[in-house]
Every structure is written in C-alpha cells, then in structure tokens.
Amino acid sequence: MTIWGSDIGGSIRFPSHFNGVVGFKPGKFQVSSNGHFPADTIPLQKRMSGMGPMGKSVRDMELIYDIITNTTTTEQSLDDFEIDILSDGLNIPLSQKTKDMVGGIESYLQKSVSVNRSTPPYFENSAQLWQEIMSLDGGKSMEKLAFNTDRSNVLAAYAKEKLTRKTKVHPYLSWALIGAKLFKPTAGRIKEIEDIIEQGDKEVADYLMNRLLILPVYHTGAPLHGKVFQEIFSIRKTFMQYMPYIAYANVWGLPSLTIPAGTDENNMPIAIQVVSMNGNEDAIFRLGKKVEWKFGGYNRCSSLD
C-alpha cells in the first residue's frame, strides 16, 4: 500500500520517520501541484512544497516518482558522488540512539564510498527562514480557507477552544495561526529573505552538485501525541532547535528520501534522510537502497496481528 502526501514542513518525512515507513519528498517543481488543496499561491511557499509517496520500500518510491515527476530521471553512479553526513557538535538536540544509528551508517558506507562530516551551506539559518516564509501573509490565506466566520480575535477563539473543547476548531490550528501573525516578517525582511534565497540557491546547488547529504529527520523517535506540535509551534521559537533537519530540504526545494534505519530506546523506529539537488534523484535512491539493505528499512508491526 502507498500513501500520498504533500510536504511543506515535514508532512511526508515526519510520519515516515515516526511510523517506520519509507517516504520521498520531491524537489521544487518536480511534481505538479495542480489540484492540491490548499492551492500554492505564495511563490516562496510553493517552492518549499513537494508532493510525494510513502510506502514500504525505496524501490516503490523510485517507481512512483518516475510516474509522477515532470522530468526524466538520469542514471547515475555512487562512485561519482561524495557522501556528507551532518557534522557532530551542532547546538541542536539529537538523541544518543539517533547519533549511534548515524554513526553505524557512516561506518558501513565508508567501506565502499567517500564519506565526510560537514555542515551544508545555510543549514543553521534554514529553520528561521522556514518559519518566516510560512508566515509571509500572517496566516491570512489559511485563515480564510479554514473559517467562514470572523476570526479577527484569534487569541480569544484559541482560549475558548482550549478551555471548553466544545468547538469544531482544534486549538492547534488557532495556535498555528497566532504564530503566523507573531512571526510575520516585515516588508524589509521579506526583501532580505528573497535575496538570501536567490544567493543561497546558487551556493546550495554548487555544494550538492556531486554530493549526497545524510541528515536525521527528528531529534527523537515518536514522542507522546501532541509533543511534536508543542516543540515546533511555540512562541519561544523552539522551532529553531527542532526543525533544522526537516526545514533544510523545504527552504531550498530539495528532494529528500526518508529511510527507517534503526529503533530508539522504546523500540520505536527512527530514520535518516538522503538529500541532494534536483537531478540527483537516481543517486538518492541508490544510496537509499544501500542503507535499506543493511539496516532493515520497513518492518511490519506484528503486535496487532
């Protein structure tokens, strides 16, 4: 079985990571968004979104991508690529189990390909850029779609929803809209963002020309329900800690393949992403198959059989 998703901030990669399945977020403009709801109307947001599949194997993702993409995939060899794994020591959280998993993948790959540790260009400010781009219109477009009544006092509505729990609107949505209003960038900052994106596209493309990047997906395996929302949507800007791994592929419009590769201390699945630039999808899938073969990939949960 294959499930379809759209990913502007992890909506393919989060469920793949937390549930132990394989997922693929295509790069910017590689799969048509015609008919997608909500429609992409803001250019900087449109480039962050990718429509793609989730399923049981890297091979399934590759076959489906070949069907849905607007482009022709070019055959590639891993011998022509360097493999970069995100540097240790960055000031963002990562569980020890995830560090151990990534280290195991590094040791395995070093036997057959060139592997380095590095921090890709613009990695450390991508979470900030992601939040600002998501807040460009202060949430107005989503508010208009989601509500047919006046939500001008969204804070009061949020308080009512949170306290009474008798509303049709989930307080998570109201809280996300509050965040979009709080983090809406000024006109001057929007111009700065546009300039950063224009320059960054060139630098990121140069970096990834013949390189595949391995990133974690999240700092832990699946937490208790609601915990991820609290970590990402907080006025304390905790998205700066928890979103960098995910936000990088969105901000720069990069294809990203999520592969289950281990389990955490609660025996919940944890995964890695293989990321590169548009045009390197064949190499992404090849590396994904190597990781999948060695570290297990999808494993059916039999506890409810």
Side-chain angles (χ1 to χ4, degrees):
M1 182 178 71
T2 299
I3 299 172
W4 295 86
S6 58
D7 186 324
I8 199 171
S11 295
I12 290 173
R13 290 163 292 157
F14 278 142
S16 298
H17 168 70
F18 291 140
N19 293 281
V21 300
V22 183
F24 184 61
K25 182 199 85 68
K28 58 184 178 184
F29 314 134
Q30 300 302 289
V31 174
S32 173
S33 62
N34 288 345
H36 182 268
F37 183 86
D40 295 313
T41 58
I42 300 174
L44 282 175
Q45 291 181 0
K46 185 172 184 176
R47 55 172 277 131
M48 294 208 304
S49 185
M51 323 297 159
M54 293 172 277
K56 294 182 179 180
S57 72
V58 174
R59 180 60 173 155
D60 286 347
M61 302 301 97
E62 182 179 29
L63 290 170
I64 293 169
Y65 180 68
D66 283 344
I67 293 170
I68 64 176
T69 183
N70 298 323
T71 61
T72 301
T73 303
T74 303
E75 188 171 332
Q76 296 168 311
S77 170
L78 290 181
D79 293 338
D80 298 327
F81 284 82
E82 293 185 359
I83 313 298
D84 276 21
I85 295 176
L86 187 66
S87 300
D88 287 328
L90 294 176
N91 190 30
I92 50 178
L94 191 64
S95 71
Q96 188 59 50
K97 281 286 189 178
T98 306
K99 290 179 182 179
D100 293 343
M101 176 193 67
V102 172
I105 292 171
E106 181 179 20
S107 297
Y108 167 65
L109 293 176
Q110 283 175 336
K111 299 174 183 178
S112 59
V113 293
S114 174
V115 181
N116 308 290
R117 287 276 183 166
S118 74
T119 302
Y122 295 92
F123 181 82
E124 294 180 88
N125 62 349
S126 288
Q128 177 72 43
L129 289 168
W130 172 82
Q131 179 63 73
E132 290 177 311
I133 292 171
M134 290 297 293
S135 304
L136 283 174
D137 69 344
K140 285 184 178 179
S141 56
M142 183 56 66
E143 192 171 346
K144 184 177 180 180
L145 282 173
F147 306 106
N148 57 11
T149 57
D150 180 19
R151 300 283 293 188
S152 57
N153 193 345
V154 69
L155 189 59
Y158 167 77
K160 178 182 177 182
E161 290 150 9
K162 190 74 173 175
L163 291 170
T164 67
R165 300 185 181 274
K166 294 181 179 179
T167 174
K168 295 180 181 179
V169 178
H170 199 289
Y172 281 1
L173 178 55
S174 295
W175 187 244
L177 291 172
I178 291 169
K181 294 178 187 296
L182 290 174
F183 297 127
K184 180 181 178 181
T186 64
R189 177 57 181 165
I190 291 173
K191 180 62 171 64
E192 289 178 4
I193 291 169
E194 291 170 343
D195 291 342
I196 291 170
I197 293 296
E198 182 178 2
Q199 180 63 31
D201 275 346
K202 298 173 185 175
E203 295 184 33
V204 171
D206 287 344
Y207 170 77
L208 292 172
M209 181 65 69
N210 293 105
R211 184 178 277 111
L212 302 172
L213 175 64
I214 293 178
L215 297 174
V217 179
Y218 205 56
H219 67 103
T220 65
L224 294 175
H225 184 67
K227 181 69 172 177
V228 175
F229 185 92
Q230 293 170 8
E231 291 180 338
I232 293 174
F233 294 97
S234 170
I235 58 174
R236 294 181 290 115
K237 297 188 176 182
T238 51
F239 62 85
M240 296 287 287
Q241 295 176 275
Y242 300 115
M243 277 301 290
Y245 307 123
I246 283 290
Y248 194 72
N250 290 117
V251 170
W252 304 109
L254 306 173
S256 176
L257 176 68
T258 299
I259 312 113
T263 55
D264 67 8
E265 61 278 2
N266 299 313
N267 204 34
M268 298 297 288
I270 46 178
I272 54 104
Q273 302 175 76
V274 180
V275 179
S276 194
M277 61 180 288
N278 283 349
N280 287 345
E281 288 84 1
D282 187 69
I284 289 174
F285 291 129
R286 288 178 185 272
L287 181 58
K289 289 173 188 175
K290 284 179 71 74
V291 172
E292 180 182 53
W293 178 84
K294 178 64 176 177
F295 295 92
Y298 166 79
N299 286 292
R300 175 179 168 79
C301 177
S302 59
S303 62
L304 299 179
D305 287 350

